[in-house]
Amino acid sequence: MSGGGVEELPRKEAFVLKGHEGAVLAARFNADGNYCLSCGKDRTIRLWNPHRGIPIKTYKSHGREVRDVHCTQDNSKLCSCGGDRQIFYWDVATGRVIRKFRGHDSEVNAVKFNEYASVVVSAGYDRSVRAWDCRSHSTEPIQIIDTFLDSVMSVNLTKSEIIAGSVDGTIRTFDIRIGREISDDLGQPVNCIALSNDGNCILASCLDSTLRLLDRTTGELLQEYKGHTCKSYKMDCLLTNNDAYVTGGSEDGIIFFWDLVDASIVSSFRAHASVVTSVSYHPKDSCMISASVDGTIRVWKT
Amino acid sequence: MDSDEEDFVFYGTPIEREEEVTSRKKKAVADASGLLRTLPPWKQEVTDEEGRRRFHGAFTGGYSAGYYNTVGSKEGWVPQTFTSSRKNRAEIRQQSILNFLDDDEKVELEGHSLGTSMKFDTFGFTAAELARKQAEKEQQQRPSIIPGPAPDELVLPATDSIGVKLLLKMGWRHGHAIKDSRTNSLYDARREARKAFLALSSDDKAAQHTGSDDVKGDLENVVELPMDNDHQSPHSTPVYVLNPKQDLHGLGYDPFKHAPEFREKKRSRLHEDKESANRKPLSIKDNLFAFRSGRVAPGFGIGALEELDAEDEDVYASGYDFEETYVQEIEEPTKQVVDKVKKRSGKEQGVLPGFKVASNSDYQLERFDPPVIPKDFVPCHKFPAPLDMNNRFSDAPPPEIPPPEDNNLKILIEGVAAIVARCGKLFEDLSREKNQSNPLFSFLNGGDGHDYYSRKLWEGRQKRTDGKKLELDGKVVSSVQKMTAESRGNILGERPLERTSKDLSLASTSTDVQLQFHLSDTFTKPESFNEVPDAAKPFRDDPAKQGRFEQFLKDKYHGGLRSKDSSGASDMSEAARARERLEFEAAAEAIGKGNWGKEISQSNQQMRDMSINTGLQFTPAGLEKVTQVEQLMKKMYPKREEFPWRPSSILCKRFDILDPYMGKPPPPPRLRSKMDSLIFIPDSVKPVKVEETAAAFTDSVSVLPPGSEDISSKEATGEFQNDVEVENVERPVDLYKAIFSDDSDDEGENSSPKQVEDPEKKIGAASTTLNRLIAGDFLESLGKELGLDVPPDLPDLENRTRVSASHQDTVNSKKGNVNILEVQNTLTETLSSENNRSGEVELGKVAQVDRHRNRASRSPEDERSRKRSRRHRRRSSNSDSETTSSDDYRDLPHSRSKGREKGSSREKSSSRKHSKHHKHERGDSLSRSHHGSEKERGDAKREKRR
């Protein structure tokens, strides 16, 4: 765990990972933070070692742009989704597609594994969240949630909940344990949601260029973070691994760090030449990766 | 051995001679033992199998013919297998006679063939040819590194031929013609004379004489013309300029094979590109074939079977240029470039110190003479559609003609002439063909008014070319051969498309903004927004605001290409802007619906009402209330709602969680209907349903008399709690049913014996009339919602409502206070409560209110807004379903089942099979009334899916 001071924030560029042709739409650390995955408009998923700055493997099978990718806890499987309306379930080592889940009526925006890597949950432009079973050979969704009124932009899973944010302005928490849906209406299209590491708060990136922090138990608005630009594109936001800062990209290529409590901008620096589509924070160290439309992924360290 | 022999009995006597046999045997034994093998070959003797020597003849080998009396060889015969692989080619042995000849015999043979030696081979022909052929032959025989025959050009005679040597001795140089310079002048003189003679003879003499002369002359021309033409360097023979291969075509492939005129163009453009690469900034411009609406992401195509649609547009590319953008070919008129090239080439003379440009260079383009023109050639080509009109203007203009008397004809002629002048001769031909039979168009064929027509046509063309020439002049002069698309278009009279011309002008400064501007301009602006009709100017009184509104409309349809700072008014605060935006949004939606005229007044009215109630004014740029609004926003959002949600059992299993619904039947549908929330609003549980109440509000607001509101609300407060407890209310559904279903159905119900116990008339007269009014209004909106025709005549409607009302009174007599009026009462109650609550009503909500209003009058085709209000709909439909299925039937089986055979069985089954009642209720509602069928279908589907 990093100490928490401002100087501890990853602001120095350690590596530039180049290889994607065209926009990189998402970059994600794996569970232990030793590797990272990226996907982009060139229809590929790439596996990198961000600490040495080298590409490891390229996964090609998608027919259109890849919008999101996620890796299991044990690093053995991948899931990815994108413009071809399918969710791909990959074997990491061989690079083969184990299964393709078809069913979304439109582009799929986000995808996540659950804790046991037995279910893939995807969120799509077709206003639905679908859960897919990895254990059985069925390619039918085991659950379709279609209470959303507009495109679902991002999805997050806890041990017993599915949380998804939608352009209709709501963040909906589907609690499997008690069988209830809790809808928090923010009144602004929700671009991306991120969970705090303690699991008590949701950070939502809204399209009015505001990040909003919600208390999950009460649905209260805790804080708003402003200063960046987020109006048109799907962009990521997140909390640092010690929950001390909120970070996110901007459409002008700048990465911002806000103080969690008083919402002041503690740091901002130009990271990319263009829209910062995705940011991902190392689970333990003070290290961050950011992906951009300019085709690069940059590794930031202190 | 002796003992052995003793045992044998011999009959007769053996003939063999003892000594011979023994000697031979001895030798054979010696052979076998290898004694002889050590001897040198010439000492060895050849014997047959019995050891006898064989004598072949004194001159044919003696005792040893062939190879030691065999047909073999020293090496002997070795068994072989024929193997030939790709790596190891088997040698092909071709036997020729030479293989079997001795050296002296070969010498003999050689003497018979004669040939010039290399040395005296004048033109390097025979000997070299022989050598080459020999080489070729050998080439074929032996495997070579280069497969196939070697090209002849590679096998060249090493030395110059004697002829060349002689010529060189005489002062000839390579690259010069073998010709005396004197002959040139001589020929010239002779030719001149011949010409003069020919001219004379053709004048004087008959044709048969010239015929023979022609041939002669032609022949001479053939010979002479070459000398005539290369006046620049009369002594040189053409040397081929070898162009280095720079393209990526296959060897020998000529892309300009059938269109050589483009070759030069291409070359010049390449040149320009190289020239301009350093100087010109990279400008990006859509070329003719590029994807117009937005840019496709660089580097990735899509499959052949996929369509290129909006998904493939590169949303990110709008404002940002990639480094790896490629330069598209710029179809710019390159006059200046060419000029510069020329200037530079002029300047470059003597650039290299110590060198000067050769007066005559070896590198001359080969020029061929023009073909000989036959005598009978008519120098006039008839084009099917002579497009190149510029050339024709050189001929004298037709004389001024007075217009024909017929005014119509005059106008027609002028019109046609104008069009033809613009569009070219082709149009004339076309129209001529088309109107062949039409006497009016006879002027095209030289009939009436043809002269006038030709005059007009000439005038029109003159006018057009005059304008064009001005701009063309410089261009044409400077770039004689290089014809850009534009100039060609000009010459051909093509009119450049509006857009491309604009693009051209902007290409030089093509910034993102302009790209954006173009894109939005050409693609996303719907026609209706090109000019907002005067009626649709909601902010007429405030021109600045109206301007912003129009800007907003434009931006709205830009899609992802929103310019960020377009919201104008920089003096406005963020919140004021947000509020104005909401206002705009509402206004835009109303315009989009196309019923702005009447909507806006209502919504304005409504806004005013609300603002009065809330104590806030919708004044333009009302800055003073900003903070309050923001706080309100904060108070409103985030708002939390909870619904039951049933995870599938397998999902629970996979998440390792006990299914909370395990063993339970599927969850009942949510109570989410519009009416439900209106009727059973327990304020503590339900969040403020602003939009719903507002929606109802708009339905009833116009007809609500202020006095009755009080009454009804008072009454409603009394009855409200009862309703909640009883949970058994006659919904207005029956009312709709009564109105929309057949009369016979109604009568059947009415005539059925009812358990009329005590029709309590609790409600006063005022509220009944109010009732009817509201019901009518409500019905109208409902009818609109369902896309049904609402009977326009009010009296009829009132009658029907009255019928239904009374009918309901009778039907629902069991619970006396349960009545249709509840609905209205509660409705107005919620209304008034909302008005009282007005402090909480948030300003920004107006937009939503308006949206919902629109939805209330939803036309069946606007699917989109319907989808957005899905939850909304579900509520209302559920109320319908419940009324029709559960509550209704639970209470009234006795009243209905007797009279209505048709419906009763279904109803019962539906009430029994509670879980399946969706389908039934759909069927019911379909059969009994037209209402809600569509909605419920969607709803049922949804429910099934969950």
Side-chain angles (χ1 to χ4, degrees):
Chain A
M1 285 279 172
S2 53
V6 177
E7 65 281 353
E8 291 282 314
L9 289 173
R11 285 180 294 182
K12 279 192 205 119
E13 183 181 301
F15 292 104
V16 182
L17 310 178
K18 281 184 182 168
H20 275 288
E21 301 163 39
V24 188
L25 298 180
R28 308 263 181 261
F29 270 112
N30 73 335
D32 59 5
N34 288 334
Y35 300 96
C36 75
L37 286 159
S38 67
C39 56
K41 284 217 110 175
D42 59 356
R43 307 168 180 185
T44 60
I45 301 157
R46 284 162 204 260
L47 176 64
W48 311 81
N49 185 332
H51 306 293
R52 291 167 62 202
I54 49 170
I56 297 167
K57 203 170 172 74
T58 304
Y59 301 89
K60 290 181 187 170
S61 197
H62 271 284
R64 284 183 185 249
E65 83 274 9
V66 192
R67 296 197 177 178
D68 198 7
V69 63
H70 193 227
C71 184
T72 56
Q73 295 279 330
D74 60 356
N75 297 330
S76 67
K77 302 287 192 297
L78 290 183
C79 60
S80 64
C81 65
D84 51 7
R85 303 173 185 193
Q86 296 175 19
I87 292 101
F88 283 52
Y89 181 51
W90 301 79
D91 185 56
V92 171
T94 61
R96 294 226 178 97
V97 178
I98 302 168
R99 216 161 293 151
K100 293 178 189 174
F101 300 114
R102 294 185 186 86
H104 272 289
D105 300 328
S106 192
E107 293 90 335
V108 191
N109 287 321
V111 71
K112 284 277 185 302
F113 277 112
N114 73 338
E115 195 194 4
Y116 311 107
S118 57
V119 173
V120 174
V121 179
S122 64
Y125 186 74
D126 60 353
R127 304 190 301 268
S128 73
V129 166
R130 284 161 201 249
W132 313 83
D133 192 1
C134 298
R135 295 262 166 88
S136 75
H137 286 283
S138 154
T139 55
E140 291 295 310
I142 52 174
Q143 176 98 43
I144 301 173
I145 302 167
D146 53 0
T147 54
F148 294 94
L149 306 180
D150 209 331
S151 170
V152 191
M153 292 307 286
S154 91
V155 67
N156 256 309
L157 300 183
T158 63
K159 283 190 178 187
S160 65
E161 285 149 318
I162 300 170
I163 307 161
S166 164
V167 179
D168 67 4
T170 58
I171 299 166
R172 288 167 201 254
T173 307
F174 300 91
D175 196 324
I176 301 167
R177 189 172 294 162
I178 58 172
R180 282 192 83 72
E181 167 191 347
I182 298 159
S183 158
D184 290 313
D185 194 348
L186 293 184
Q188 290 290 340
V190 176
N191 205 359
C192 170
I193 55 166
L195 275 175
S196 64
N197 293 286
D198 59 6
N200 291 331
C201 300
I202 305 179
L203 182 70
S205 163
C206 297
L207 280 181
D208 59 345
S209 299
T210 309
L211 302 183
R212 291 185 167 85
L213 190 72
L214 297 185
D215 185 66
R216 282 193 55 206
T217 47
T218 61
E220 229 176 300
L221 179 67
L222 297 176
Q223 194 52 273
E224 290 187 337
Y225 308 92
K226 288 180 178 171
H228 65 303
T229 324
C230 174
K231 285 184 167 137
S232 320
Y233 304 120
K234 182 181 189 295
M235 292 158 68
D236 282 356
C237 61
L238 49 83
L239 288 101
T240 56
N241 53 20
N242 50 7
D243 281 346
Y245 299 100
V246 168
T247 181
S250 175
E251 283 179 14
D252 45 11
I254 296 176
I255 290 177
F256 285 83
F257 285 97
W258 291 270
D259 189 90
L260 182 91
V261 180
D262 57 9
S264 58
I265 298 173
V266 292
S267 177
S268 72
F269 54 92
R270 174 160 288 281
H272 289 276
S274 176
V275 184
V276 182
T277 52
S278 182
V279 285
S280 181
Y281 212 86
H282 194 280
K284 290 180 209 73
D285 301 340
S286 172
C287 174
M288 192 170 81
I289 52 173
S290 65
S292 165
V293 169
D294 64 9
T296 59
I297 300 144
R298 284 168 207 258
V299 185
W300 306 93
K301 293 189 175 178
T302 46
Chain B
M1 185 158 181
D2 283 351
S3 60
D4 278 346
E5 276 181 355
E6 279 173 5
D7 290 332
F8 290 121
V9 180
F10 290 96
Y11 293 98
T13 42
I15 306 168
E16 277 193 295
R17 301 219 311 259
E18 185 83 34
E19 57 274 28
E20 263 189 14
V21 173
T22 50
S23 71
R24 256 189 274 146
K25 271 190 180 165
K26 235 190 256 169
K27 268 187 185 170
V29 169
D31 261 345
S33 61
L35 279 175
L36 285 175
R37 235 178 266 165
T38 53
L39 288 171
W42 59 89
K43 284 192 177 167
Q44 290 177 7
E45 285 178 351
V46 180
T47 57
D48 61 5
E49 64 272 11
E50 290 187 343
R52 293 175 296 203
R53 296 182 76 189
R54 190 170 166 196
F55 189 65
H56 295 282
F59 296 101
T60 52
Y63 280 106
S64 166
Y67 187 78
Y68 302 116
N69 275 337
T70 66
V71 291
S73 62
K74 189 181 177 185
E75 295 88 2
W77 181 81
V78 186
Q80 286 180 318
T81 51
F82 177 81
T83 50
S84 173
S85 66
R86 194 176 291 168
K87 273 184 193 162
N88 264 336
R89 290 270 177 204
E91 285 183 6
I92 303 160
R93 283 220 185 113
Q94 262 188 353
Q95 291 183 325
S96 74
I97 184 90
L98 290 171
N99 294 353
F100 304 100
L101 291 180
D102 291 335
D103 289 357
D104 50 346
E105 286 168 330
K106 279 179 192 165
V107 171
E108 252 177 37
L109 263 182
E110 208 92 281
H112 289 298
S113 63
L114 281 174
T116 45
S117 71
M118 205 68 147
K119 202 177 169 192
F120 294 100
D121 191 0
T122 317
F123 301 106
F125 187 71
T126 41
E129 193 69 6
L130 269 179
R132 194 177 301 152
K133 272 185 184 166
Q134 184 65 32
E136 239 174 75
K137 215 186 272 174
E138 281 170 25
Q139 182 71 38
Q140 278 175 0
Q141 279 170 5
R142 64 161 177 260
S144 73
I145 304 156
I146 307 165
D152 282 358
E153 289 84 355
L154 299 180
V155 188
L156 286 173
T159 55
D160 279 337
S161 67
I162 192 77
V164 173
K165 276 182 192 163
L166 279 170
L167 277 171
L168 282 171
K169 285 257 165 71
M170 287 162 68
W172 173 80
R173 292 282 175 279
H174 273 289
H176 286 248
I178 313 169
K179 188 184 66 154
D180 198 354
S181 57
R182 279 180 305 127
T183 50
N184 207 356
S185 53
L186 193 138
Y187 265 78
D188 275 354
R190 244 202 265 166
R191 218 187 58 156
E192 286 303 309
R194 182 87 25 115
K195 258 188 190 166
F197 171 71
L198 272 175
L200 272 176
S201 64
S202 62
D203 274 347
D204 291 350
K205 302 201 173 176
Q208 87 274 5
H209 189 79
T210 50
S212 62
D213 252 23
D214 274 343
V215 180
K216 234 189 194 175
D218 286 349
L219 279 173
E220 268 177 12
N221 277 343
V222 173
V223 181
E224 282 167 6
L225 278 173
M227 333 264 171
D228 208 30
N229 271 352
D230 52 3
H231 51 85
Q232 285 180 332
S233 54
H235 298 294
S236 60
T237 49
V239 175
Y240 289 103
V241 178
L242 297 173
N243 285 322
K245 183 172 153 47
Q246 286 171 321
D247 51 13
L248 299 173
H249 302 299
L251 257 186
Y253 173 75
D254 185 5
F256 304 107
K257 193 178 179 188
H258 296 297
E261 52 271 24
F262 292 113
R263 193 194 309 271
E264 196 58 31
K265 178 113 185 285
K266 172 82 185 294
R267 201 174 298 153
S268 68
R269 199 195 292 149
L270 273 177
H271 193 60
E272 281 161 28
D273 278 1
K274 260 181 233 160
E275 289 279 323
S276 61
N278 305 327
R279 287 175 283 123
K280 233 182 276 174
L282 304 186
S283 60
I284 298 142
K285 182 176 74 80
D286 284 356
N287 67 2
L288 195 65
F289 305 105
F291 184 51
R292 288 263 182 210
S293 74
R295 298 189 16 223
V296 181
F300 330 112
I302 53 164
L305 299 176
E306 292 173 280
E307 284 171 34
L308 194 69
D309 49 12
E311 297 160 13
D312 297 299
E313 282 177 33
D314 190 9
V315 288
Y316 297 105
S318 58
Y320 309 94
D321 283 336
F322 289 141
E323 284 166 44
E324 52 273 350
T325 42
Y326 46 92
V327 182
Q328 285 160 336
E329 284 181 358
I330 299 150
E331 203 78 30
E332 229 170 74
T334 48
K335 180 183 152 196
Q336 298 137 331
V337 176
V338 173
D339 277 350
K340 274 179 191 162
V341 169
K342 284 197 170 165
K343 259 184 223 159
R344 186 171 294 181
S345 65
K347 258 202 285 180
E348 269 167 1
Q349 291 191 353
V351 157
L352 283 174
F355 288 91
K356 82 181 178 90
V357 175
S359 53
N360 59 338
S361 69
D362 280 355
Y363 291 97
Q364 282 292 322
L365 281 175
E366 190 180 9
R367 290 180 192 279
F368 293 101
D369 348 300
V372 182
I373 301 165
K375 262 279 168 301
D376 55 345
F377 179 72
V378 185
C380 171
H381 185 74
K382 217 179 155 193
F383 285 94
L387 284 167
D388 195 357
M389 58 187 72
N390 278 353
N391 298 340
R392 302 165 101 243
F393 301 141
S394 49
D395 44 28
E400 196 86 56
I401 302 286
E405 288 80 24
D406 187 1
N407 211 27
N408 280 343
L409 185 63
K410 184 187 160 218
I411 289 168
L412 180 67
I413 287 172
E414 276 168 7
V416 170
I419 294 171
V420 169
R422 197 181 303 148
C423 305
K425 189 81 162 55
L426 199 63
F427 181 79
E428 189 186 316
D429 294 343
L430 264 175
S431 54
R432 186 182 295 147
E433 233 171 80
K434 234 193 221 166
N435 302 306
Q436 220 150 22
S437 55
N438 194 341
L440 260 180
F441 282 85
S442 62
F443 62 86
L444 288 174
N445 297 321
D448 235 12
H450 178 70
D451 294 334
Y452 182 67
Y453 166 70
S454 53
R455 171 74 198 176
K456 276 282 156 202
L457 182 58
W458 182 82
E459 275 177 15
R461 281 175 177 170
Q462 205 70 8
K463 232 185 275 170
R464 286 185 63 75
T465 43
D466 277 357
K468 246 179 275 163
K469 254 177 195 163
L470 283 177
E471 55 189 56
L472 261 179
D473 265 349
K475 213 174 285 172
V476 172
V477 168
S478 63
S479 57
V480 186
Q481 292 177 329
K482 286 158 193 167
M483 193 182 275
T484 62
E486 203 190 349
S487 64
R488 191 178 62 225
N490 273 331
I491 290 167
L492 295 178
E494 288 167 359
R495 250 166 52 127
L497 294 173
E498 290 292 315
R499 219 185 84 73
T500 47
S501 68
K502 223 193 267 174
D503 255 2
L504 271 177
S505 64
L506 291 166
S508 49
T509 59
S510 84
T511 58
D512 311 328
V513 180
Q514 267 147 346
L515 256 177
Q516 212 169 305
F517 168 70
H518 279 304
L519 284 173
S520 60
D521 213 37
T522 34
F523 300 106
T524 52
K525 196 191 286 175
E527 215 157 284
S528 56
F529 290 108
N530 276 342
E531 61 239 305
V532 182
D534 199 47
K537 281 186 178 167
F539 309 103
R540 234 167 302 167
D541 43 349
D542 187 353
K545 195 173 178 185
Q546 174 67 26
R548 284 202 298 275
F549 176 61
E550 272 158 24
Q551 181 62 37
F552 166 80
L553 281 184
K554 241 191 214 164
D555 289 351
K556 193 176 170 194
Y557 288 92
H558 275 197
L561 303 167
R562 194 176 306 137
S563 47
K564 274 134 205 146
D565 47 5
S566 64
S567 46
S570 51
D571 54 333
M572 288 171 74
S573 78
E574 189 69 40
R577 213 174 292 157
R579 207 187 40 196
E580 191 177 87
R581 210 184 130 81
L582 282 169
E583 239 174 286
F584 287 169
E585 195 96 53
E589 187 133 351
I591 288 178
K593 289 283 183 302
N595 46 12
W596 169 260
K598 73 176 176 212
E599 291 282 317
I600 191 66
S601 57
Q602 285 176 14
S603 70
N604 268 346
Q605 170 78 28
Q606 189 189 334
M607 276 187 212
R608 213 162 296 137
D609 289 351
M610 290 196 60
S611 56
I612 286 163
N613 287 333
T614 51
L616 291 173
Q617 287 290 329
F618 273 104
T619 50
L623 290 168
E624 64 277 4
K625 312 287 184 197
V626 164
T627 49
Q628 216 171 329
V629 171
E630 270 184 346
Q631 278 170 358
L632 276 177
M633 286 271 268
K634 272 189 184 169
K635 222 179 266 178
M636 287 304 293
Y637 292 120
K639 58 182 181 187
R640 174 163 276 205
E641 288 174 84
E642 275 198 50
F643 309 106
W645 171 69
R646 182 172 180 142
S648 72
S649 59
I650 184 150
L651 187 74
C652 300
K653 201 173 141 196
R654 294 281 180 254
F655 271 80
D656 207 8
I657 290 170
L658 270 179
D659 188 354
Y661 287 84
M662 196 164 32
K664 288 181 193 166
R670 300 181 196 171
L671 298 176
R672 274 164 307 190
S673 87
K674 199 196 285 177
M675 294 315 292
D676 270 349
S677 61
L678 283 174
I679 296 166
F680 308 113
I681 275 192
D683 282 2
S684 53
V685 178
K686 289 274 180 180
V688 186
K689 298 258 182 270
V690 184
E691 62 266 48
E692 275 143 26
T693 47
F697 165 68
T698 51
D699 285 331
S700 52
V701 67
S702 54
V703 273
L704 261 183
S708 62
E709 186 183 325
D710 292 335
I711 301 166
S712 53
S713 61
K714 264 180 221 157
E715 288 178 5
T717 44
E719 288 162 307
F720 185 69
Q721 282 81 16
N722 289 343
D723 289 346
V724 177
E725 290 157 14
V726 168
E727 285 237 359
N728 177 28
V729 183
E730 182 60 31
R731 304 293 178 353
V733 176
D734 271 351
L735 180 116
Y736 315 140
K737 183 199 70 191
I739 288 159
F740 286 108
S741 58
D742 295 336
D743 281 343
S744 58
D745 213 345
D746 279 342
E747 277 157 22
E749 269 185 53
N750 281 333
S751 62
S752 69
K754 288 163 245 163
Q755 292 192 336
V756 184
E757 285 172 6
D758 188 23
E760 288 171 295
K761 303 279 185 188
K762 272 191 173 178
I763 294 93
S767 47
T768 26
T769 50
L770 167 73
N771 224 351
R772 229 173 280 141
L773 279 169
I774 293 169
D777 199 51
F778 195 81
L779 278 171
E780 199 174 15
S781 70
L782 190 89
K784 261 189 232 163
E785 205 171 330
L786 298 173
L788 292 172
D789 276 341
V790 180
D793 42 348
L794 202 68
D796 186 26
L797 192 111
E798 271 187 339
N799 279 339
R800 280 162 163 259
T801 35
R802 201 172 296 136
V803 165
S804 62
S806 62
H807 152 69
Q808 272 155 5
D809 281 348
T810 50
V811 166
N812 306 314
S813 49
K814 202 177 176 187
K815 309 286 171 189
N817 56 348
V818 178
N819 199 304
I820 170 77
L821 285 171
E822 289 323 298
V823 181
Q824 272 74 38
N825 291 341
T826 47
L827 198 145
T828 47
E829 190 268 337
T830 49
L831 244 186
S832 58
S833 77
E834 187 204 281
N835 281 346
N836 296 335
R837 258 202 315 270
S838 55
E840 288 169 28
V841 175
E842 159 250 0
L843 279 178
K845 223 38 202 173
V846 174
Q848 256 185 340
V849 168
D850 199 50
R851 218 177 293 150
H852 282 284
R853 279 167 38 73
N854 286 329
R855 222 168 281 147
S857 60
R858 193 194 299 138
S859 58
E861 70 270 7
D862 63 350
E863 265 301 317
R864 209 174 154 66
S865 67
R866 181 172 300 191
K867 272 175 190 163
R868 289 169 80 192
S869 68
R870 209 196 276 175
R871 197 180 347 148
H872 206 74
R873 222 166 2 115
R874 198 165 46 208
R875 290 213 177 92
S876 64
S877 62
N878 272 345
S879 84
D880 297 347
S881 66
E882 279 189 20
T883 32
T884 47
S885 61
S886 51
D887 296 340
D888 227 3
Y889 302 141
R890 226 177 287 142
D891 284 340
L892 304 167
H894 47 283
S895 68
R896 289 215 181 148
S897 54
K898 290 168 195 168
R900 293 207 320 148
E901 304 298 332
K902 176 172 73 175
S904 59
S905 61
R906 239 186 285 149
E907 284 157 14
K908 271 181 190 165
S909 69
S910 73
S911 58
R912 237 179 276 133
K913 295 184 185 175
H914 198 269
S915 63
K916 279 188 167 185
H917 73 261
H918 291 289
K919 283 178 198 168
H920 288 286
E921 93 203 17
R922 190 172 10 139
D924 271 347
S925 61
L926 272 176
S927 67
R928 289 191 297 161
S929 67
H930 309 285
H931 93 275
S933 58
E934 189 184 320
K935 289 188 295 178
E936 274 173 31
R937 202 171 305 142
D939 192 48
K941 227 184 274 171
R942 285 177 52 80
E943 293 297 331
K944 251 187 278 170
R945 257 194 295 170
R946 320 187 86 239

